[in-house]
Every structure is written in structure tokens, then in C-alpha cells.
Amino acid sequence: MQQIFETYAAHVLPTYGRFPVAFVRGVGCRLYDAADRAYIDFASGIGVNAVGHAHPVWVEAVARQAATLTHVSNLYYSEPGGRLAARLTALSGLRGVFFANSGAEANEGAIKVARKYSHDRYGPDRSTVVTLSGSFHGRTVTTLAATGQTAFHRHFGPFTAGFRHVPPGDFEALAAQPDDVCAVLLEPVQGEGGVWPLDGGYVRQVAALCRERDWLLLCDEVQTGIGRTGDWFAFQSLGVEPDVVTFAKGIAGGLPFGGFLTGARAADTLGPGDHATTFGGTPLCCAAALATLDILTPVLPGIKAKGAALRQTIAEMGLPRVTGTRGAGLMIGVALASGEAPRDWAERLLRAGLVVLTAGQDALRLLPPLVIGDDDIAAGLSIFHTTLGGVSK
């Protein structure tokens, strides 16, 4: 592994605080490093490997499509793209889809839909998108502007204008916004911000306000979408119908893919030439996404119960360094006691053989593959218990 570390140090820009492990293969919900040591995967590549690693159905679909047709410009049609669009609109209940290649690109597209929708009806003076404090919407200049965390705003200004942030749950602050608003962008569960679910009553108030003022409601489901919370999309358990829903991470089981879905109000907003992408919706990624949906369909009904059991087990451990859990489905935040650094504990868990993530300032984040079985959950929780309960600082 040392040679891999040295090659990175010599040639790769140091933009990540990488953990000292080089993974070389994965099988199911386990990863293996260059020394062939196994690790339980409670991260799934930040929610990407929803079907685990090297799932045979996914591998066969990708290999077959790669041997048939990998890429074709969006100036033409492809059979996998049409099938995936029909599948996603049926699963979401929304009208149309645009395929992109990342979550940030998907959110950029959603913002464009909102601004054009408003411009078409009210002219150029209603272009502000309101987002929530603590949110995270991507790392492009525009999605950083949308992100409601000042830590991400250092160094890279000036940002795209036309964004304001209000505290999550503070409906009065949202309702007091001036007349220049075109949309509200929110995550049903704030992921990078610390795994904080929004209150369903608040989201329904926001949706009603958007209807009243003809603002679009944009749901960023880059992390929560495609089954992560136990529904295909998290908004489906909140009693609202967003106008635009973005998705990415888990959609193609490991290949770079994303996009946004539009509801009835916004479906006809974009026309030819208004928006485009080079890599979004390639036949290869669409085939991977179709296989991912096939694999997840029988798994989806059990995700909420599996997540609830996982959280309950952690609570029953009585770990002094853990103050609670939060989240939805298999998107779980484990809150650490004051003074405990999430990064330090993620690294200790990695050394013990469990891969986890961090979120916000005080939490570990668990995003296991959605296909994870009881044995792998038990093995991972055993490491979690031993490490957080038995290591002194």
C-alpha cells in the first residue's frame, strides 16, 4: 500500500483528507485492501454502492451493455435511456426526467428550471432561490452558493448571486422573504450537514407556501433518493409533491450518474437548447441504473425496519461517547459527545475493520449498501461497540 500512497502524494492534488487505506476490490458489503484485509462497508462510497460491490446482476448488465454500446450523444435516442426514464417517472409519480452525471450537475439543472419557470411568467426580477442553513448542494460555484454552510464559502468567491438561506424549521423566516423568490431548495434529510431529517409538518407548510406564491419546490435527493430512506424518494413519506427532485449517488450502483425529475408544473419549462450534458444518460449508466433498480425492488420494503433496528442496537449499547442517533432508513447519523472528533473515531473504526463516514461537526454517518444482510450488520456493529466502548483516548 505504501507505494500507492507515495504515488498519490507525488501526482494527485491533495484536495482530500484521505484515510490511510487503499482498497483494491469489493465483494458484497465488504471491501479488501492491498494486503487483502477485509473491511465491513458502512459507507458505500458516500451512498453510491447501493447494491454493494460486484453484485452479479449489476456486473452482468454493465458488461453486456459495455460490449454493446457504451456512449452515444444525447442528440440521439437509446433504448436503455427510454426504459430508465419510464421507470423513474413511474417510481416517483413525476412527469419527466433529465439525465446528468453528478449530484451537483443535477442541482444546477434544478436551479435553472426554477429560474426559467419564473422568468417565463414574471420576468427577470424573481430569480432568488431560498435554501436552508446547514444544507449542502454541491461543490460547483453555483451549488456552493446554494449551500447553507459558511465553511464551504471560504476562498472561492464571488459566487453566483441569487441565493438566501433561512434556518430549517423556521417557517416564519421563509414566509417573510421578499418578492424576488422563485423557488425553495431543500434536502428532506440534510446529509453532509449532520444527518438531520426535516420535520414533515414544516415541509408540508413549505410546499403549501410554494403553491400559494407560485414558487417551485425543489427537493435535493442526491443522497436520500433511490431507496436510501426506505422509499424510492424521501419526499414520498412527507405528503408533498415537489416540482423538481434531484437524484444521483445510488442510482447506478457505482457508475457516475445523476439527474432531476420534474412534476406537472415544471415539466414543460425547458425546451431544446435550454439545457444539455455530454455524459448524462449514457447507455452504459442507464443499463447500470436499470439493474440497480431491479436489485433494490425486493429490498426496498425492509430498509426502514433494518435502519430502525440498527439505530436501536446502537442505542442499547450504552456507549458513553454516543449521545444518540438520527436519520431515516439506512441513512444514519450517530451523534458523538462533546469533545469527541468524528474524524478521529472514523479512523479508529477503519483500523478496526469498519468503514464509516463523518457528517457535520459531531456525527459519524452510516450509509451501508441497501442490500446489506443481518450478518454483515452484526459484524459491523460488533466492531463499532468494541471500538467506541473499549478504546480510551
Side-chain angles (χ1 to χ4, degrees):
M1 279 194 286
Q2 189 59 38
Q3 183 179 356
I4 298 174
F5 301 158
E6 291 173 359
T7 302
Y8 266 65
H11 302 291
V12 179
L13 294 181
T15 58
Y16 296 96
R18 297 181 197 275
F19 292 97
V21 171
F23 292 119
V24 297
R25 67 188 179 96
V27 180
C29 298
R30 302 198 177 209
L31 288 160
Y32 295 82
D33 67 16
D36 208 33
R37 183 190 177 200
Y39 300 75
I40 305 291
D41 187 1
F42 271 19
S44 63
I46 316 184
V48 169
N49 301 99
V51 298
H53 303 277
H55 192 290
V57 173
W58 185 89
V59 170
E60 196 277 336
V62 171
R64 184 175 63 246
Q65 188 61 48
T68 305
L69 181 66
T70 300
H71 173 81
V72 64
S73 161
N74 280 305
L75 293 173
Y76 309 99
Y77 299 92
S78 82
E79 188 271 342
R83 280 205 293 136
L84 180 61
R87 192 88 173 266
L88 288 173
T89 51
L91 293 176
S92 66
L94 299 176
R95 288 269 300 276
V97 65
F98 177 90
F99 294 133
N101 56 49
S102 71
E105 189 188 10
N107 283 336
E108 289 261 359
I111 292 163
K112 288 179 69 176
V113 171
R115 288 184 170 170
K116 185 168 188 297
Y117 175 90
S118 187
H119 189 278
D120 288 348
R121 288 157 180 77
Y122 306 102
D125 297 328
R126 277 184 34 146
S127 60
T128 296
V129 177
V130 180
T131 75
L132 304 183
S133 305
S135 62
F136 181 84
H137 298 293
R139 291 182 184 273
T140 65
V141 170
T142 294
T143 55
L144 280 176
T147 292
Q149 299 185 60
T150 55
F152 290 102
H153 294 164
R154 294 174 296 186
H155 312 305
F156 303 113
F159 293 105
T160 306
F163 292 92
R164 281 198 296 273
H165 313 292
V166 298
D170 188 342
F171 180 73
E172 297 306 319
L174 181 63
Q177 292 299 304
D179 294 336
D180 62 349
V181 173
C182 67
V184 176
L185 170 63
L186 56 80
E187 301 159 282
V189 181
Q190 292 190 339
E192 297 288 338
V195 195
W196 293 103
L198 293 184
D199 177 75
Y202 168 72
V203 176
R204 288 188 287 278
Q205 276 188 302
V206 173
L209 184 68
C210 286
R211 292 284 171 175
E212 176 188 320
R213 301 190 182 178
D214 201 18
W215 302 346
L216 292 192
L217 176 60
L218 318 179
C219 275
D220 176 347
E221 297 231 26
V222 166
Q223 195 164 143
T224 54
I226 317 299
R228 175 56 58 184
T229 65
D231 297 290
W232 285 115
F233 296 91
F235 79 81
Q236 292 171 318
S237 65
L238 295 175
V240 300
E241 183 177 322
D243 299 297
V244 186
V245 177
T246 60
F247 60 89
K249 294 185 178 295
I251 177 65
L255 293 184
F257 202 6
F260 60 85
L261 289 145
T262 52
R265 279 208 300 169
D268 299 324
T269 299
L270 298 180
D274 284 333
H275 197 46
T277 180
T278 295
F279 290 106
T282 67
L284 183 68
C285 286
C286 288
L290 286 163
T292 298
L293 295 177
D294 286 343
I295 296 165
L296 294 183
T297 295
V299 172
L300 191 74
I303 287 174
K304 290 182 181 180
K306 198 174 290 185
L310 201 158
R311 290 175 60 182
Q312 182 178 352
T313 301
I314 291 174
E316 291 173 352
M317 289 176 182
L319 300 170
R321 296 184 177 94
V322 172
T323 60
T325 65
R326 54 196 184 231
L330 286 173
M331 183 175 180
I332 297 169
V334 180
L336 299 177
S338 175
E340 304 288 350
R343 165 80 190 199
D344 290 348
W345 286 105
E347 190 159 347
R348 288 172 188 260
L349 288 163
L350 184 67
R351 288 201 298 269
L354 179 64
V355 184
V356 303
L357 301 160
T358 64
Q361 300 301 311
D362 72 337
L364 296 170
R365 182 171 28 156
L366 312 182
L367 301 174
L370 300 181
V371 296
I372 195 166
D374 293 341
D375 289 348
D376 281 331
I377 289 177
L381 288 176
S382 176
I383 295 171
F384 193 88
H385 179 260
T386 300
T387 303
L388 273 89
V391 179
S392 59
K393 295 188 70 177

